[in-house]
Amino acid sequence: MTVDAEALPHEHDDRASSPRSVLSGDIQAYVTSAAAGTDVSLSRDSYSTGTLVDLAGTAGIVNYSDSVFRNDPTCAVQWPYAVGVPTTYGFGMRSGKMHEGTDFIPGAGAHIQAIADGVVRVATDTGGAFGVTIVIDHVIDGQTVSSRYAHMEYDSRQVEVGDTVHVGQYIGRTGDTGRSFGAHLHFEVLQGGTTATDPLPWLRDHAVC
């Protein structure tokens, strides 16, 4: 389920817990605790209950819901999680600053997957406000598009700079690193590799087959 931003606190946790890196002044993600809730009243037109629960469990996803999206594992572009999960903050201005992505809350440790085939451009455990971060460059519909995955768990990255990845590949776990309050994935889509665009409509347009 999508959580109304007005129902959530708007300040950020500036406390650093070891081994957090030194943070920049800008903040690009914020989320409530993964305990915010799980919607299990799903419409499962293309899933059996057992299949959905098993897939979520295999990927470590404890909050799952198809109210925001339903991933199709046969598509060339997919969502960053194997099954639908809730979101909190979306793309847009927040507290006078631009929030350039969407925050997903599948639960701490949930497996993150690459949204498309590509090459890893950034893979670091010291990404400032982003914490443990991966950026993957893709060519989609003939255009360069990059995807950013931020606040991942320490010691969870499965890729390094220069690695070739494939759509749906496990790249790391959902965490609470960098400037963050509560385990979540801050996810961005960067047109031309640099210009942030709203990830939700972009994925809804492209993660179809």
Side-chain angles (χ1 to χ4, degrees), residues 34-88:
T38 302
D39 177 5
V40 294
S41 57
L42 305 177
S43 60
R44 297 185 174 96
D45 297 337
S46 62
Y47 300 106
S48 70
T49 302
T51 300
L52 180 66
V53 172
D54 290 347
L55 184 55
T58 299
I61 296 169
V62 296
N63 293 337
Y64 52 90
S65 168
D66 64 1
S67 63
V68 177
F69 71 90
R70 180 181 296 177
N71 190 61
D72 186 336
T74 67
C75 291
V77 176
Q78 297 182 29
W79 293 76
Y81 291 99
V83 300
V85 304
T87 63
T88 54

Side-chain angles (χ1 to χ4, degrees), residues 188-199:
E188 296 181 6
V189 170
L190 306 171
Q191 301 277 23
T194 58
T195 304
T197 191
D198 192 338

Side-chain angles (χ1 to χ4, degrees), residues 7 28 65 121 144 153 175 189 194:
Q28 291 298 333
S65 168
R121 170 159 54 100
T144 299
E153 282 187 353
V189 170
T194 58

Side-chain angles (χ1 to χ4, degrees), residues 12-181:
H12 301 292
D13 185 5
D14 290 333
R15 293 170 297 176
S17 61
S18 178
R20 290 177 188 262
S21 59
V22 176
L23 304 177
S24 70
D26 293 331
I27 173 64
Q28 291 298 333
Y30 177 85
V31 72
T32 61
S33 164
T38 302
D39 177 5
V40 294
S41 57
L42 305 177
S43 60
R44 297 185 174 96
D45 297 337
S46 62
Y47 300 106
S48 70
T49 302
T51 300
L52 180 66
V53 172
D54 290 347
L55 184 55
T58 299
I61 296 169
V62 296
N63 293 337
Y64 52 90
S65 168
D66 64 1
S67 63
V68 177
F69 71 90
R70 180 181 296 177
N71 190 61
D72 186 336
T74 67
C75 291
V77 176
Q78 297 182 29
W79 293 76
Y81 291 99
V83 300
V85 304
T87 63
T88 54
Y89 283 112
F91 184 88
M93 295 299 297
R94 189 184 71 221
S95 301
K97 295 182 179 180
M98 187 65 180
H99 184 247
E100 296 187 336
T102 295
D103 294 343
F104 293 88
I105 51 167
H111 289 195
I112 301 163
Q113 62 179 31
I115 64 160
D117 294 349
V119 177
V120 177
R121 170 159 54 100
V122 176
T124 180
D125 290 345
T126 56
F130 290 120
V132 179
T133 307
I134 292 171
V135 177
I136 303 173
D137 294 333
H138 318 274
V139 177
I140 298 171
D141 295 336
Q143 303 296 316
T144 299
V145 178
S146 300
S147 54
R148 185 193 305 276
Y149 313 78
H151 306 307
M152 295 165 55
E153 282 187 353
Y154 287 112
D155 300 319
S156 75
R157 282 191 301 108
Q158 303 296 302
V159 297
E160 299 294 344
V161 172
D163 286 355
T164 297
V165 299
H166 301 287
V167 62
Q169 181 175 328
Y170 164 49
I171 59 172
R173 295 190 301 271
T174 305
D176 187 20
T177 60
R179 185 162 293 177
S180 165
F181 183 25

